[in-house]
Amino acid sequence: MYDEEQQPEHGPLAGFTVGVTAARRADELGALLQRRGAGVLHAPALRIVPLADDSELLAATKEIIDQVPDVVVATTAIGFRGWVEAADGWGLGEQLLGRLRGARLLARGPKVKGAIRAAGLTEEWSPSSESLAEVLDRLLEEGVDGHRIAVQLHGEPLPGFVESLRAAGAEVLPVPVYRWMPPEDLGPLDRLLDAAVTRGLDAVTFTSAPAAASLLSRAEDRGLLDELLSALAHDVLAACVGPVTALPLQAHGVQTVQPERFRLGPLVQLLCQELPARARSLPVAGHRMEIRGHAVLVDDDLRPVPPAGMALLRALARRPGWVVARADLLRALPGAGRDEHAVETAMARLRTALGAPKLIQTVVKRGYRLALDPAADEKYADA
């Protein structure tokens, strides 16, 4: 039975808002986040365009049928399945599978292995890390000079992978099964971008490198790239499913977090650790107050706070226990103008939202302060 005294009603992500940029499996990721209490803003940063009618894929398939490669590297399950289905549609499915049986099949991870076996084939090897870098290391260690290697691309070229093989003497045949394209409707992506630069998000999740590149590209198109990079550097956590996904962000100097296992579940668990750890927790007026993205935990009671109130609270929390002048609080309010009455109105609403008015003290003719507990005064005196 649920015990209210021992277990809070909220999840570990309650009070936080997470952006989801995924095109595939977005519903699954969103549900995992919401189940743990997060608010979710979904905006696919790209769309997948199948290449069943694409001349490049058809040409690559015919080339493999005409001359079987020494090695075939399968990088994604959806891509490998799409390739076989497209070949079936052209009447080339059995021929393609016959040629693949004669090649060494390397799979990037377990899902790709599943797709290979579902097609009646058997992979020779798959890295435990699910990393293309490990596949590349193995091939280079074995030696690829004079070998013919087919590489199933996963939505974008793999220049580092392909060029390293070519530099080592291999003939590389790219197999482009599908491409990433910008979303047809840019409205949701723009809303996510606006939320990120205004700090309306606490984290943004990325499950593919093209999605990260697409968000950065859209920010640049709108003249918001510097603002986005600043938000990701200081206030909005960039959470990537793996190191390859993180590359476009890292190229812009953005620090990212990644789970040890490159899966949606571990990605969500990582957020459950990282976001609460970034929240400010203070002993105020005999209560424990934890400031989250759009809510405050007051003694484990989750209290949603409107944006204006959260802006005031964050300004007060920067120097807990110190008086913050009304003029400084006015500057912290988004779009408040010059009327200090806006501070009083927002402060009244903030106190109501917190449910414990004594958390914030009014200092007559000076401003407001968080009623930091005396025992904490020394600790936060120089904060």
Side-chain angles (χ1 to χ4, degrees), residues 19-22 41-46 187-192:
V20 172
T21 61
L41 180 60
H42 176 227
L46 41 80
L189 186 60
D190 284 344
R191 287 191 287 275
L192 185 144

Side-chain angles (χ1 to χ4, degrees), residues 306-357:
M310 191 60 75
L312 293 182
L313 187 56
R314 291 190 188 283
L316 294 171
R318 289 190 191 100
R319 302 193 76 190
W322 290 64
V323 177
V324 181
R326 283 180 175 81
D328 293 333
L329 292 173
L330 182 62
R331 281 191 289 272
L333 277 179
R338 299 180 179 179
D339 185 0
E340 290 190 3
H341 180 67
V343 174
E344 297 172 14
T345 302
M347 188 63 70
R349 291 173 179 166
L350 171 60
R351 284 170 162 157
T352 299
L354 294 175

Side-chain angles (χ1 to χ4, degrees), residues 6 18 25 54 90 111 176 222 269 292 296 331:
Q6 296 182 9
V18 180
R25 302 181 69 194
D54 192 276
W90 295 320
K111 290 185 178 179
R222 294 184 58 201
Q269 289 303 317
R292 297 192 166 195
V296 177
R331 281 191 289 272

Side-chain angles (χ1 to χ4, degrees), residues 96-157:
L96 175 63
L97 293 176
R99 295 297 185 271
L100 294 180
R101 288 189 184 95
R104 297 174 55 209
L105 267 174
L106 305 185
R108 185 177 65 92
K111 290 185 178 179
V112 193
K113 287 197 317 190
I116 288 172
R117 294 179 184 182
L121 305 171
T122 304
E123 80 288 347
E124 178 185 287
W125 177 80
S126 179
S128 57
S129 66
E130 305 177 39
S131 166
L132 271 179
E134 192 172 341
V135 176
L136 178 62
D137 289 344
R138 181 184 178 97
L139 287 170
L140 294 178
E141 190 176 310
E142 293 175 349
V144 296
D145 189 21
H147 290 195
R148 196 160 178 268
I149 301 175
V151 181
Q152 173 246 311
L153 303 180
H154 60 113
E156 62 174 350

